[in-house]
Amino acid sequence: MHSNGTLAPEWSVTQWFNTHQPLHLADLRGKVVVLHAFQMLCPGCVVHGLPQTQKIYNTFDTSEVMVIGLHTVFEHHEVMTPQALEAFIHEYRYTFPIGVDQPDEQLELPLTMRAYSMRGTPSLIVIDHKGFIRKHSFGRDDDMQIGADIAALISEAKAASSAEPSTVEGRDIGDGDCDQEKCKV
Amino acid sequence: MHSNGTLAPEWSVTQWFNTHQPLHLADLRGKVVVLHAFQMLCPGCVVHGLPQTQKIYNTFDTSEVMVIGLHTVFEHHEVMTPQALEAFIHEYRYTFPIGVDQPDEQLELPLTMRAYSMRGTPSLIVIDHKGFIRKHSFGRDDDMQIGADIAALISEAKAASSAEPSTVEGRDIGDGDCDQEKCKV
Amino acid sequence: MHSNGTLAPEWSVTQWFNTHQPLHLADLRGKVVVLHAFQMLCPGCVVHGLPQTQKIYNTFDTSEVMVIGLHTVFEHHEVMTPQALEAFIHEYRYTFPIGVDQPDEQLELPLTMRAYSMRGTPSLIVIDHKGFIRKHSFGRDDDMQIGADIAALISEAKAASSAEPSTVEGRDIGDGDCDQEKCKV
Amino acid sequence: MHSNGTLAPEWSVTQWFNTHQPLHLADLRGKVVVLHAFQMLCPGCVVHGLPQTQKIYNTFDTSEVMVIGLHTVFEHHEVMTPQALEAFIHEYRYTFPIGVDQPDEQLELPLTMRAYSMRGTPSLIVIDHKGFIRKHSFGRDDDMQIGADIAALISEAKAASSAEPSTVEGRDIGDGDCDQEKCKV
């Protein structure tokens, strides 16, 4: 896990499943965010990545960790449609929120996948409470290591939460930190 | 495994993958036939049934055992299309012949699935060299037991083959056996 | 699996578990015999070989297949004693007959292990109904292949049994076959 | 994981493997301690508990987490000797420190096992940097949860370490905390 990271860009999602309202990264500051990018016809996602993501969702408290699946279709677009995804989610009984990465009108790679420079699927991205990417992996991750990484970020979030005065504005911006809106220098 | 069985009906397939020409059960007399019915969005098929079927295909010689996958879509018809199946087969790298079970125009169950009275997917049907159904299971089968069952039927086929005079007609019909064309009484 | 094999030598066992009386290979003609050589402190045996052997024992009928475990201690002799083996068998709940391979007074390799030229543990040896070694493997075997190999030998045994006149003596000796007592020429 | 716990008693070990010098719990304050109690002939330990413990040892840094195996023999004492344990450790290639729990002269349960009120093997006990038992489980634990629990305790240790003045004595005793020698009230 990186001790520092780059600021995570907002995702671009055209449709959500398993959530009543759209989710925005900007609204999740203060929580650890686990973003799992997959394709429904990607064997590594189905056999390993998605079950692991469901396990993360079951293991951690949603008040501390927000788990988001992202359907980043970059091949077989004509059959990995949102309608097909809906049937897939239903059959596999996934319960965590899943968004459809916004297709690019001209390129095969969807927008969020490009914004995060993902190599492919499955990709696992872990974002800390301040919105920084602390883990960015492609392929197969180990359960114990993932559990430890997420827990360490929860502890960071708790420490920050208990340390900060209740009146501060721009609470998530530390010295030298920079988000897309403003920089603190 | 049944010591006797009912005669296996011919399958109704609208499209084939992984084979240059359509396959007909009637042409496979003399071989053991393993018919694996699945749906591409059925978790039990993807995690267990299809890998096991691929293993059967890799373990036995195609001169003795013909392995056939059958896409028996009985739900989510609009997304489990032949085009989606083609992408699925490509991504999972299945190499055995796979046919699309013919849809019924009025019912959800496709024709072959009904003809074989399958309960659902995954279903595994093993047909002996004379065309009789000797094993018909729904759900999860054990590798060792499947291997043993198939090998026993190969031995039956070999024994029948070596026992019969080379000039005989209607070679696969034993006393009291009956196929759809004719009965030997 | 070998289409032919060498005649299996008799094992030398000093103590048996899970059987009321000593077992002799010579008495098992007509059955398929699966001989699994292991050591109780061999990880490959404990994690893979012994569970597979128990599965063979559970899958096949003892009237057709005799499964025998053989504790072939060739290292750590002072701690892999028959008394330790007894506790091991009890804790792991193995139910098939297990014999202790007879130690050599001067060499580390026990007698049966040497007689069968085993490379180490786990070793799996499959002997046909006539007493010939048809499979001899070291390391990890696949469940489906093992199931198929054993079933093929059961079929051979059945075919031989049904073919032979009921009054014949020396029933298992075919043309050109040879056991340690006598040769048929 | 318990937010509080009872103070972990010192273990009683008669012999160590995989460490040049005896290890004492009292010397490990400041680190998270993972204590895995097992028996070499306990199937659950061999198949699940010990591999998981080795994985904990490989995943975390020994400067933060001390992993200790404890051979808590409470049955088959005559064959689960230290000499047998040594061969077992060698064959399974465990690399973390392992101690032999001191036998009681009159009872079957060894001393540390009783001091920790363990129900059996495998037992997993996680002790925080102040010496308190925070997790005490019997049977099978999940990798992801264990990873998360240990990481949370590492974070606690780091927070405590950075918060405390460098000159303080009795550094691990917080307000209201109590060890067996003295209480801070």
Side-chain angles (χ1 to χ4, degrees):
Chain A
M1 197 168 58
H2 303 292
S3 54
N4 293 295
T6 56
L7 201 66
E10 188 59 78
W11 45 68
S12 303
V13 164
T14 56
Q15 190 172 346
W16 286 96
F17 300 96
N18 291 338
T19 172
H20 293 298
Q21 51 195 17
L23 297 167
H24 301 287
L25 179 57
D27 298 336
L28 300 173
R29 290 293 156 84
K31 290 190 185 188
V32 177
V33 176
V34 174
L35 185 64
H36 175 66
F38 71 99
Q39 293 182 106
M40 59 175 280
L41 294 185
C42 152
C45 303
V46 170
V47 173
H48 183 73
L50 284 160
Q52 184 179 64
T53 301
Q54 182 68 51
K55 191 175 201 174
I56 295 172
Y57 184 70
N58 297 345
T59 298
F60 295 97
D61 194 312
T62 53
S63 68
E64 296 180 332
V65 178
M66 180 62 74
V67 174
I68 309 272
L70 188 68
H71 198 223
T72 53
V73 180
F74 63 91
E75 55 188 349
H76 307 299
H77 297 78
E78 67 288 359
V79 297
M80 290 199 276
T81 61
Q83 187 184 18
L85 176 64
E86 185 170 20
F88 173 79
I89 293 170
H90 174 78
E91 291 301 319
Y92 281 80
R93 293 173 170 67
Y94 297 126
T95 57
F96 53 89
I98 294 176
V100 176
D101 194 5
Q102 186 175 341
D104 187 291
E105 299 197 354
Q106 286 156 0
L107 301 173
E108 295 207 324
L109 288 189
L111 298 188
T112 312
M113 192 173 189
R114 280 165 54 204
Y116 278 84
S117 302
M118 296 179 197
R119 289 175 53 195
T121 55
S123 281
L124 187 72
I125 291 164
V126 186
I127 301 167
D128 68 18
H129 70 285
K130 297 190 294 184
F132 287 84
I133 298 172
R134 299 291 290 278
K135 189 180 186 84
H136 193 318
S137 70
F138 169 59
R140 189 163 184 146
D141 285 290
D142 176 74
D143 274 5
M144 188 180 284
Q145 186 65 58
I146 288 284
D149 289 343
I150 293 173
L153 294 183
I154 293 173
S155 295
E156 281 191 22
K158 284 183 180 171
S161 170
S162 64
E164 72 192 6
S166 59
T167 58
V168 84
E169 278 188 77
R171 54 188 280 266
D172 294 313
I173 310 292
D175 286 325
D177 290 347
C178 206
D179 72 9
Q180 291 174 321
E181 265 33 67
K182 51 188 170 177
C183 274
K184 178 174 184 178
V185 286
Chain B
M1 198 167 58
H2 304 293
S3 54
N4 293 296
T6 55
L7 201 65
E10 187 60 78
W11 45 67
S12 302
V13 165
T14 55
Q15 191 172 346
W16 286 95
F17 298 96
N18 291 338
T19 172
H20 293 299
Q21 52 195 17
L23 297 167
H24 302 287
L25 178 57
D27 298 336
L28 299 173
R29 290 292 158 84
K31 291 191 184 188
V32 177
V33 176
V34 175
L35 185 64
H36 175 67
F38 71 98
Q39 291 182 108
M40 59 174 282
L41 294 185
C42 152
C45 303
V46 171
V47 173
H48 183 73
L50 283 159
Q52 183 179 64
T53 301
Q54 182 68 51
K55 190 176 201 174
I56 295 171
Y57 184 71
N58 296 345
T59 299
F60 295 95
D61 194 311
T62 53
S63 69
E64 296 180 332
V65 179
M66 180 62 74
V67 174
I68 310 271
L70 188 69
H71 198 224
T72 53
V73 180
F74 62 91
E75 55 188 347
H76 307 299
H77 297 78
E78 67 288 359
V79 297
M80 290 199 276
T81 61
Q83 188 185 18
L85 176 64
E86 184 169 22
F88 173 79
I89 293 169
H90 174 78
E91 291 301 318
Y92 280 80
R93 293 173 170 69
Y94 298 125
T95 56
F96 52 90
I98 293 175
V100 176
D101 193 4
Q102 186 175 340
D104 187 291
E105 298 198 356
Q106 288 156 359
L107 301 172
E108 294 207 325
L109 289 189
L111 298 187
T112 312
M113 192 173 190
R114 279 166 53 204
Y116 278 83
S117 302
M118 296 181 196
R119 288 176 52 196
T121 56
S123 281
L124 187 72
I125 291 164
V126 187
I127 301 167
D128 69 17
H129 71 285
K130 296 190 294 182
F132 287 84
I133 298 174
R134 299 292 291 276
K135 190 182 184 83
H136 192 319
S137 69
F138 170 60
R140 189 162 183 147
D141 285 290
D142 176 74
D143 274 6
M144 189 180 284
Q145 185 65 58
I146 287 284
D149 289 342
I150 294 172
L153 294 183
I154 293 173
S155 295
E156 280 190 22
K158 285 182 180 171
S161 169
S162 65
E164 72 193 6
S166 58
T167 57
V168 86
E169 278 186 78
R171 52 190 282 266
D172 294 314
I173 311 293
D175 285 327
D177 289 346
C178 204
D179 74 7
Q180 292 174 319
E181 263 34 65
K182 52 189 168 177
C183 273
K184 177 173 184 179
V185 286
Chain C
M1 197 168 59
H2 304 293
S3 54
N4 293 295
T6 56
L7 200 65
E10 187 59 77
W11 45 68
S12 303
V13 165
T14 55
Q15 191 171 346
W16 286 96
F17 299 97
N18 291 337
T19 173
H20 292 298
Q21 51 195 20
L23 297 166
H24 302 287
L25 178 57
D27 298 336
L28 300 172
R29 290 293 158 83
K31 291 190 183 186
V32 177
V33 176
V34 174
L35 185 64
H36 175 66
F38 72 98
Q39 292 182 105
M40 58 174 282
L41 294 184
C42 152
C45 303
V46 170
V47 172
H48 183 73
L50 283 160
Q52 184 179 63
T53 301
Q54 181 69 52
K55 190 175 201 173
I56 296 171
Y57 184 71
N58 297 345
T59 298
F60 294 96
D61 195 311
T62 52
S63 68
E64 296 179 333
V65 179
M66 179 62 74
V67 174
I68 309 272
L70 189 68
H71 197 223
T72 53
V73 180
F74 62 91
E75 55 189 349
H76 307 300
H77 298 77
E78 67 288 358
V79 296
M80 290 200 275
T81 60
Q83 188 185 17
L85 176 64
E86 184 170 21
F88 173 79
I89 293 170
H90 174 79
E91 291 302 318
Y92 281 79
R93 293 172 171 68
Y94 297 125
T95 56
F96 53 90
I98 294 176
V100 176
D101 193 5
Q102 186 175 340
D104 188 292
E105 299 198 354
Q106 287 157 0
L107 300 173
E108 294 207 324
L109 288 190
L111 297 188
T112 312
M113 192 173 191
R114 280 165 54 203
Y116 277 84
S117 302
M118 296 180 195
R119 287 177 53 196
T121 56
S123 281
L124 187 72
I125 291 164
V126 186
I127 301 167
D128 68 17
H129 70 286
K130 296 190 293 183
F132 287 83
I133 299 173
R134 298 292 290 278
K135 189 181 185 82
H136 193 318
S137 70
F138 170 59
R140 189 162 183 147
D141 285 289
D142 176 73
D143 274 5
M144 189 180 285
Q145 186 65 59
I146 287 284
D149 289 343
I150 293 173
L153 294 183
I154 293 173
S155 296
E156 281 191 21
K158 284 182 180 171
S161 170
S162 65
E164 72 193 6
S166 58
T167 57
V168 85
E169 279 186 76
R171 53 190 281 265
D172 294 312
I173 310 292
D175 285 326
D177 290 345
C178 205
D179 73 8
Q180 292 174 319
E181 264 33 66
K182 51 189 170 178
C183 272
K184 177 173 184 177
V185 287
Chain D
M1 197 167 59
H2 304 292
S3 55
N4 293 297
T6 55
L7 201 65
E10 187 60 78
W11 44 67
S12 302
V13 165
T14 55
Q15 190 172 345
W16 286 95
F17 298 97
N18 290 338
T19 172
H20 293 299
Q21 51 195 15
L23 297 167
H24 302 286
L25 178 57
D27 298 336
L28 299 173
R29 291 291 158 85
K31 291 191 184 187
V32 177
V33 176
V34 174
L35 185 63
H36 175 67
F38 71 99
Q39 292 182 106
M40 59 175 281
L41 294 185
C42 152
C45 303
V46 170
V47 172
H48 184 72
L50 283 160
Q52 184 179 65
T53 301
Q54 182 69 51
K55 191 176 201 174
I56 296 172
Y57 184 71
N58 296 346
T59 298
F60 294 96
D61 195 312
T62 53
S63 69
E64 296 179 333
V65 178
M66 180 63 73
V67 174
I68 308 273
L70 188 68
H71 197 223
T72 53
V73 180
F74 63 91
E75 54 188 349
H76 306 301
H77 297 79
E78 67 288 359
V79 296
M80 290 200 275
T81 61
Q83 187 185 18
L85 176 65
E86 184 169 22
F88 173 79
I89 293 170
H90 175 78
E91 290 302 318
Y92 280 81
R93 293 173 171 68
Y94 298 126
T95 56
F96 52 90
I98 294 175
V100 176
D101 193 4
Q102 185 175 342
D104 187 291
E105 298 198 356
Q106 286 157 359
L107 300 173
E108 294 207 326
L109 289 189
L111 297 188
T112 311
M113 192 173 191
R114 279 165 53 202
Y116 277 83
S117 301
M118 295 180 196
R119 287 177 52 198
T121 56
S123 281
L124 187 72
I125 291 164
V126 187
I127 301 167
D128 68 18
H129 71 286
K130 296 190 293 185
F132 287 83
I133 298 173
R134 298 293 289 279
K135 189 183 186 80
H136 192 318
S137 69
F138 170 60
R140 189 162 183 146
D141 285 289
D142 176 73
D143 274 5
M144 189 180 284
Q145 186 65 58
I146 287 283
D149 289 343
I150 293 172
L153 294 183
I154 293 173
S155 295
E156 280 190 23
K158 284 182 179 171
S161 169
S162 64
E164 72 193 7
S166 59
T167 57
V168 85
E169 278 186 78
R171 54 189 282 264
D172 293 314
I173 312 291
D175 285 327
D177 288 348
C178 206
D179 73 7
Q180 291 172 319
E181 263 33 67
K182 51 189 169 179
C183 273
K184 177 172 184 178
V185 286

